[in-house]
Amino acid sequence: MAGFNVFLLVVEMAVYFTAMLALFRLRETLGLGVFFCALGSFHFMETYLAAAYYVQLPLDISLSPGSVVLFSGKLALILLIYIREDALVARQPIYGLFIGNILLIGLVALLRQHDAVAAPGVPADLSFMDAMGLLMMWGTLLLFIDAIAMILIYERIARPLRRMPILAIWVTLALVLTFDQVAFFGVLSLAMGVPLTAGIGGWLGKIAAAGLYAVMLGQYLARFELAGAAPRRTIADVFHALTYRQRYEDLKQESRRDALTHVLHRGQLEPLGRDLLAVARTTGRPVSLLLVDVDDFKEVNDQFGHPTGDEVLRRLARCLTESLRQADHVVRYGGDEFAVFAPGVGNAGALSLAAQLGRRVRAMALPPGVAEQTLSIGVASAPEDGSTLTELLDAADKRLYVAKAAGRNRATGGPGADALKMNG
């Protein structure tokens, strides 16, 4: 029976890790959130098994599948996230588990205030949850330390062992799992009275599991992730790298935006329009361009000054952005002109969108004394009005002129169409 337990453990490791690798591989389709949810769903079971469920192996060794199968696999998967994504992504499931455990302990404290009635044959007792909550909290705190140590160790040894990636992964996991076993089992022994022999068996099982997971992870990376990939940037300090990455992403986003209104600046109009039109041609779906002009905006600057005019533009840009779908894009086209791309929307839908923007802008809050603002909008749609950005801009600009000439607060779309007044 002890030998059969070994076989079952190997099967459990193979099934668990293969399924999680498949979810990770599908992250571009399903999103990393699916992978993280699956990873977190095993956390309570992992801690419960480590505290209460052990199996007998040869040589009078006993161990818990929770520690050997689930926890060792979780560490290997976090290392995978770091290798293929970065440390910023790798810390997300750890923070999620830690915050979840804090909420669990808080909820148990509230549950204690109930006047509970025991279910038939089951005592209304939360003492087990107390022990489990503390163990889960301690385990997650250790996981945070483990993850940082694992990243630093892997960065240190991955380069000298670059020709032996499986060995680098195994050494990394073995060192971190050894530390974790000492730290976690000490508390587990005190809280649950688990004997020392189980701790030694658990350590031996984790080292063996690290070897199997290293082989599986190395094969997965070689076959599915790293073939032809560019060399990966290494780091010396995890937290410095996280800060740098976040600042870099923020700077990259800001460099694409207009300094005053924080919508996309004029330089983004051509590449964005080109890409959206290419997608529209490939999918056979329409895309519309709305040229938006603020009526009589010069009077705001003349009467109240440019600082007030700038504030009106900021509010108007925010109103446009909040009134659109997530898939739409706002570009500051000129001083008081904006271009709106609406992918998947034809001419009739774009005119409805223009009317909605007109209503929202007229209703927006303005600085004291500034009169209600209205818009004139010219609408052009691909493919009927053109297949290039230049053609769409030319058509939308001509229709914007028609809307202005018809008395403002109007939208025009379609060849020869009359300007439609955007009533409130």
Side-chain angles (χ1 to χ4, degrees):
M1 188 62 185
F4 186 64
N5 281 337
V6 174
F7 170 75
L8 284 178
L9 285 171
V10 173
V11 171
E12 290 159 7
M13 283 186 271
V15 170
Y16 167 68
F17 208 65
T18 300
M20 294 304 297
L21 288 178
L23 285 178
F24 186 79
R25 180 63 179 164
L26 292 171
R27 65 192 183 279
E28 296 296 332
T29 303
L30 301 178
L32 264 176
V34 175
F35 173 82
F36 286 160
C37 285
L39 188 65
S41 67
F42 288 99
H43 187 63
F44 183 87
M45 182 180 181
E46 167 195 317
T47 308
Y48 170 77
L49 292 177
Y53 187 84
Y54 285 73
V55 298
Q56 190 68 40
L57 301 185
L59 303 177
D60 202 29
I61 294 174
S62 61
L63 53 79
S64 170
S67 295
V68 174
V69 177
L70 297 180
F71 181 77
S72 301
K74 180 164 66 179
L75 269 188
L77 291 167
I78 290 173
L79 181 58
L80 169 64
I81 298 169
Y82 172 69
I83 292 172
R84 294 308 299 143
E85 300 291 333
D86 58 22
L88 179 60
V89 178
R91 70 181 183 178
Q92 291 176 18
I94 303 168
Y95 286 167
L97 290 171
F98 191 73
I99 294 170
N101 289 338
I102 292 176
L103 293 174
L104 175 65
I105 291 175
L107 183 59
V108 170
L110 288 175
L111 289 173
R112 286 190 170 282
Q113 309 308 311
H114 285 291
D115 183 13
V117 178
V122 181
D125 185 9
L126 292 174
S127 58
F128 179 73
M129 286 299 301
D130 290 338
M132 285 295 296
L134 292 174
L135 278 176
M136 290 172 69
M137 180 66 72
W138 175 237
T140 310
L141 180 60
L142 279 178
L143 180 63
F144 180 78
I145 299 170
D146 292 341
I148 295 173
M150 182 169 60
I151 291 170
L152 293 175
I153 293 170
Y154 180 78
E155 286 292 351
R156 182 62 61 90
I157 68 175
R159 185 177 295 275
L161 295 177
R162 62 184 177 275
R163 297 184 181 276
M164 297 179 286
I166 293 176
L167 179 60
I169 294 171
W170 179 75
V171 171
T172 300
L173 292 175
L175 289 174
V176 174
L177 286 168
T178 297
F179 162 76
D180 185 88
Q181 181 69 5
V182 172
F184 184 76
F185 185 79
V187 173
L188 183 63
S189 181
L190 290 174
M192 299 289 188
V194 179
L196 179 62
T197 53
I200 296 173
W203 174 71
L204 293 173
K206 284 181 176 179
I207 300 302
L212 178 59
Y213 287 141
V215 171
M216 295 179 68
L217 187 52
Q219 291 296 316
Y220 168 79
L221 288 170
R223 290 175 179 270
F224 298 107
E225 295 279 344
L226 299 181
R232 185 176 163 279
R233 177 182 59 84
T234 60
I235 60 172
D237 179 4
V238 175
F239 294 107
H240 173 75
L242 291 176
T243 303
Y244 172 80
R245 174 65 180 267
Q246 288 170 316
R247 289 176 179 172
Y248 170 73
E249 293 295 335
D250 291 343
L251 181 62
K252 187 168 70 172
Q253 288 295 324
E254 285 303 312
S255 69
R256 302 172 63 232
R257 299 194 174 275
D258 174 65
L260 175 64
T261 62
H262 300 295
V263 298
L264 296 173
H265 62 63
R266 174 70 179 265
Q268 295 298 312
L269 182 75
E270 184 176 346
L272 177 61
R274 184 178 60 245
D275 290 346
L276 291 175
L277 284 167
V279 172
R281 284 192 296 271
T282 302
T283 60
R285 303 183 68 204
V287 59
S288 291
L289 170 66
L290 291 74
L291 281 187
V292 179
D293 183 81
V294 185
D295 295 327
D296 300 320
F297 182 73
K298 184 176 181 298
E299 295 180 6
V300 176
N301 283 330
D302 291 345
Q303 184 175 354
F304 298 96
H306 285 280
T308 299
D310 288 347
E311 176 60 24
V312 171
L313 285 177
R314 276 192 291 266
R315 296 189 187 192
L316 186 139
R318 185 165 60 249
C319 181
L320 292 178
T321 302
E322 293 174 352
S323 302
L324 294 168
R325 306 169 304 162
Q326 190 172 3
D328 299 333
H329 306 272
V330 183
V331 182
R332 190 179 182 193
Y333 188 55
D336 61 346
E337 286 187 323
F338 297 86
V340 175
F341 287 104
V345 176
N347 195 263
L351 281 171
S352 296
L353 180 60
Q356 174 181 303
L357 294 179
R359 289 193 298 270
R360 294 285 184 88
V361 167
R362 287 198 307 277
M364 73 178 182
L366 292 167
V370 177
E372 174 186 271
Q373 299 296 291
T374 61
L375 304 176
S376 293
I377 303 177
V379 176
S381 303
E384 57 263 39
D385 294 319
S387 58
T388 68
L389 179 61
T390 300
E391 292 171 340
L392 287 187
L393 283 171
D394 183 60
D397 189 59
K398 289 176 180 177
R399 292 167 189 171
L400 174 61
Y401 177 80
V402 171
K404 285 282 190 186
R408 296 174 173 79
N409 189 28
R410 284 168 169 79
T412 307
D418 294 330
L420 302 176
K421 188 169 184 180
M422 297 187 288
N423 295 320

